[in-house]
Amino acid sequence: MINNYASVLADAIQGFILERQALGYTFQKQAASLKRFDRFCVEIGHDQVCLSKGLAMKWAEKKPWESDDAQGRRIRLVRMLARYMIRLGYDAYIYPDHLGVGRSDKYDPYLFTEKEIAEFLNRVGQCSPVKSSPHRHLVLPLLYRMLYGCGLRVSEALNLTVRDVNMEEGTLTIRNGKFHKDRIVPMSASLVARCRTYSDAMPPVKHPEQPFFPAAHGGRYSEKRIYDYFRRFIWEAGISHGGRGKGPRVHDFRHTFAVHCLKRWARGTVDLTVALPYLSTYLGHESLKGTQRYLRLTAELYPDIVKAMDERFGHVLGGADQ
């Protein structure tokens, strides 16, 4: 749903968002950021239907509380808006390429060891209910297991409804994921069993559309809340954090899931040229390129299988994105 914008650039901003969504991007966070940009235009009295250099550079100024990454995301988004406006015939200033290069552009995924995963889940399992969150001791252990065990994006797990979790068939239905794709994700038998135990312990379901992982108020947990819990549990598990922008991040469970799958396959007899498309579909990637990257990560992390992977799948490794 498009926000209501109030500045003279409202039509351009709304058109830009609609175009990105038509290309398959959800663009929700970006729309929220553009809402702030729209409000900024109003506050400084910008009254011309153009994106001038003065306006762009004033928006690019770093806020006292802002990280380099956050500033970079704002700059990159308005650069995209400027290019869109130019295509439509508007006058718009495009930031030079060196502006907006954030640390996240160079982020290397943190790949958890199996021992770290076990210790993390052990710590999560020890959390207790509190008045403000009476079911967190039930929700969090299963939620984090699902993130790692199924390689889900955090938003995908939080958006699951009761009807999306089929414990008879052992599957999850991911609806309107990235690029507006739906997909079916099979679960392991042990994870299905945990889902059943969880469902029995939770309050009775009133409607199949209610969140499978409900927050205390009955709605959904925010991604930030899940990340805050994540930081607490990795600290308790003795897993060091590299600082802001360096990880590990919650999303690294997804990376770790993919690499652990490929490690098992590479050490076995699975033909990765056949299996890779299945993994790509399972993860909800738009193409094989996103999945091929995990081949390199697997080879780098487990040197003992580099030679075997190079001999059997060198042609695939050579075509992966850096």
Side-chain angles (χ1 to χ4, degrees), residues 162 165-171 187 192 195-197 199 212:
V162 172
V165 183
N166 189 325
M167 286 171 272
E168 296 302 317
E169 296 183 5
T171 60
M187 294 184 284
V192 173
C195 286
R196 290 196 179 102
T197 301
S199 295
F212 185 71

Side-chain angles (χ1 to χ4, degrees), residues 281-299:
T281 300
Y282 189 95
L283 291 170
H285 283 164
E286 186 180 23
S287 69
L288 275 177
K289 289 184 178 180
T291 317
Q292 285 173 336
R293 179 183 181 219
Y294 292 127
L295 286 172
R296 290 191 179 279
L297 291 173
T298 305

